[in-house]
Amino acid sequence: MSDSSDPPTKKLDENGKPVSRAGQQPKRILGLMPNYRSVSSGTTPPKPTFKHNFVIATHQSFDYSSFIFLGITSLSAEGIDSHPALGKGVGGFWGYTWRGFLDKTDGTYLGAWLLPSILHEDTRYYAMGEGSKWKRAGYVISRQAVARTYGGHQTPNIAGLGAKVLTQVISRNYYPAGSTDFGTLATKFGYAMARDIGFTMFREFYPDIAIHVLHRKP
């Protein structure tokens, strides 16, 4: 009996050839992590639209896994007292949680919907899927600075980087005094960059991990 979860047809690249399983990006990684904004290696998806970007940003922002991650990061921030003015205990945890939710949601809607739609930048992650590990890792890091135009050409990732900067600027309105100085905001910006690189690195190599380590379909 065939697995009902299998797609009815194989994914094809731009030349009509089947995409290697090692290059296929699932919609959800490990059944938890949303992967809506990744494109399988060698495939050419439809051009993004204003509505499409909004729908994807909404799915990304309100996916159940986002709240799990938010709870973990808020608990960690409260535990190490990242912003002493927010306090400790239940009150402190709530203070970190709602602010973290605004940070995450602002950044997602700005970086996945509004700015890409205005600038006509395709900020989805186009997986490399093959080549040496170092080459692929370098490619992942470079995507922080490079995006695609709607026509498929490479362009500076103004939407992605601009979203991170604007998110920090907006956060000055709801973080307490002492948490909005340049050094603190720069640290949060750096953390956002490192987090994106880490998650994108995992997206790039997950199909290999699934096939060769977990012995399952990506």
Side-chain angles (χ1 to χ4, degrees):
M1 178 179 293
S2 63
D3 186 348
S4 60
S5 64
D6 288 340
T9 58
K10 293 183 178 180
K11 295 182 180 179
L12 304 178
D13 62 19
E14 61 266 28
N15 298 314
K17 297 181 180 179
V19 177
S20 168
R21 287 176 60 193
Q24 292 184 16
Q25 289 287 321
K27 294 299 182 184
R28 192 178 290 276
I29 295 175
L30 296 175
L32 176 66
M33 179 180 170
N35 196 32
Y36 309 122
R37 302 187 66 239
S38 292
V39 179
S40 295
S41 173
T43 60
T44 304
K47 184 175 69 174
T49 65
F50 188 85
K51 179 180 179 181
H52 172 82
N53 287 342
F54 178 80
V55 170
I56 293 298
T58 300
H59 281 318
Q60 195 86 16
S61 296
F62 296 97
D63 188 85
Y64 71 88
S65 63
S66 297
F67 294 97
I68 295 174
F69 179 74
L70 175 63
I72 294 173
T73 54
S74 298
L75 188 63
S76 174
E78 184 271 337
I80 63 176
D81 207 18
S82 295
H83 301 288
L86 297 183
K88 302 282 289 182
V90 175
F93 175 75
W94 170 244
Y96 283 105
T97 299
W98 72 259
R99 288 175 174 85
F101 175 75
L102 288 181
D103 286 347
K104 177 183 69 67
T105 306
D106 288 347
T108 299
Y109 275 103
L110 286 169
W113 168 53
L114 187 59
L115 292 181
S117 297
I118 292 174
L119 299 173
H120 285 193
E121 288 182 18
D122 186 352
T123 57
R124 292 175 293 188
Y125 176 65
Y126 286 75
M128 178 172 281
E130 57 184 9
S132 71
K133 294 180 177 62
W134 289 110
K135 182 177 180 180
R136 292 167 69 184
Y139 171 78
V140 168
I141 295 171
S142 73
R143 295 309 95 181
Q144 289 293 311
V146 180
R148 294 192 181 197
T149 65
Y150 277 11
H153 303 291
Q154 293 197 9
T155 185
N157 189 10
I158 297 174
L161 294 174
K164 290 181 176 62
V165 172
L166 288 176
T167 297
Q168 301 311 318
V169 172
I170 293 171
S171 74
R172 299 189 67 183
N173 294 300
Y174 51 81
Y175 275 90
S179 299
T180 58
D181 58 90
F182 178 80
T184 301
L185 295 179
T187 299
K188 289 174 62 181
F189 176 85
Y191 169 74
M193 293 279 288
R195 180 192 62 205
D196 281 359
I197 290 173
F199 281 167
T200 305
M201 198 77 72
F202 186 54
R203 291 184 176 99
E204 171 66 31
F205 289 101
Y206 173 72
D208 302 87
I209 295 171
I211 294 170
H212 301 296
V213 179
L214 304 178
H215 305 292
R216 56 184 291 182
K217 287 179 16 178

